[in-house]
Amino acid sequence: MASAAARERYARKNEQDELERAFRTIDKKGDKMIDADELNQLFLALGHKAKRGEVEDMIWEVDEDCDGCLSWHEFQNLYTRGRDDKTGYEPRGLYNVIEFVMNDKEGLGYITLEEAMQIMYLRYGRAMLDAQLEEVFGTSDLNSGKILTLTEFLNCLHASQVKQLLNRVTAKTYKAPPPTTKKRG
C-alpha cells in the first residue's frame, strides 16, 4: 500500500498535468498566452455569460507584467497562490475558472461530483473534503449524479468564499475573552 506522502506526490503530479491541459484548453491561439478574447471564447463555449469587464478584470488581477495576457508562468503562479491561500484574499475569479476546466476532463461543459474530488482533496485535505463537497454540490454522495455548469460552479464557490470572509475575525468583530480573576488563597 502506498504511503500518504507517495499518494500526495502522485496527486500533485496529476494536478500539474491537469493544469497544463487547462492552459492548452484556454489558449486557443496556441501562442502560449491567454488573453481576454480566448477567455471569452471559453465562456461562450461553456454557456457562461460574463458581466461587462469581468474577463478583463480576471486577467488584470493576476497579470504580473501588465501586458493584458497571461503567460504560462503567470498562469502557474495564480493557480499556486490560489490553491495555497488560507486567508481568502487572493484573487479567485480566474482561479475558480481554472479549477472548473481542470475538473471538466472530458470537456463536456459541466463537472460531476466525482470529477471534483481529487482537486478539492488537494485544496482542502481529507478532513474537510466532505464538508466542501456539501457546500459546493449540496451533497457529498458520489452516487447522487449531481453536476454543475460553469455558472453554477462559480456562483457556489463565490457564495462559499463570501461566507468564509464574513466569518473571519476582524478588529471590529473581535471579542476579547473575559478577564480571569485570581483566587486569593
Side-chain angles (χ1 to χ4, degrees):
M1 178 172 256
S3 70
R7 284 193 305 271
E8 181 75 13
R9 281 192 306 275
Y10 176 76
R12 291 282 180 211
K13 170 66 175 127
N14 284 348
E15 180 184 48
Q16 182 66 25
D17 293 344
E18 290 300 324
L19 186 61
E20 290 171 10
R21 183 186 59 75
F23 186 84
R24 287 190 309 273
T25 298
I26 301 170
D27 181 24
K28 293 294 186 193
K29 296 175 189 170
D31 59 357
K32 306 218 183 313
M33 301 290 276
I34 295 174
D35 61 29
D37 290 338
E38 289 169 316
L39 204 48
N40 268 319
Q41 286 177 15
L42 175 73
F43 285 166
L44 286 173
L46 295 175
H48 177 68
K49 183 156 175 46
K51 297 177 184 116
R52 183 195 318 227
E54 180 181 6
V55 173
E56 290 82 6
D57 286 349
M58 283 182 179
I59 291 176
W60 176 83
E61 288 177 331
V62 293
D63 183 12
E64 295 169 4
D65 59 8
C66 298
D67 64 354
C69 302
L70 294 181
S71 66
W72 168 244
H73 178 72
E74 290 169 322
F75 190 81
Q76 281 181 303
N77 284 345
L78 95 86
Y79 181 78
T80 303
R81 283 193 324 259
R83 181 195 66 208
D84 297 341
D85 177 36
K86 303 295 183 226
T87 65
Y89 294 119
E90 280 293 328
R92 289 284 191 193
L94 190 52
Y95 173 80
N96 291 337
V97 172
I98 293 167
E99 263 200 336
F100 182 88
V101 173
M102 288 173 72
N103 283 296
D104 184 16
K105 293 171 178 57
E106 303 297 320
L108 299 172
Y110 60 83
I111 59 170
T112 65
L113 186 66
E114 192 171 355
E115 288 174 320
M117 283 189 70
Q118 178 185 1
I119 290 176
M120 293 187 90
Y121 168 77
L122 291 173
R123 185 171 177 183
Y124 299 109
R126 185 178 186 142
M128 299 277 303
L129 181 62
D130 284 345
Q132 290 302 319
L133 290 172
E134 285 277 343
E135 188 146 342
V136 173
F137 285 89
T139 182
S140 61
D141 178 11
L142 285 176
N143 298 318
S144 69
K146 180 79 174 174
I147 63 170
L148 293 176
T149 64
L150 175 61
T151 303
E152 293 167 331
F153 183 75
L154 294 177
N155 289 341
C156 288
L157 286 179
H158 179 73
S160 171
Q161 289 157 357
V162 166
K163 185 174 153 186
Q164 287 174 349
L165 286 172
L166 291 175
N167 288 334
R168 295 216 188 279
V169 174
T170 64
K172 281 185 172 180
T173 61
Y174 177 73
K175 300 264 193 257
T180 58
T181 56
K182 288 187 178 183
K183 292 184 179 180
R184 293 188 175 164

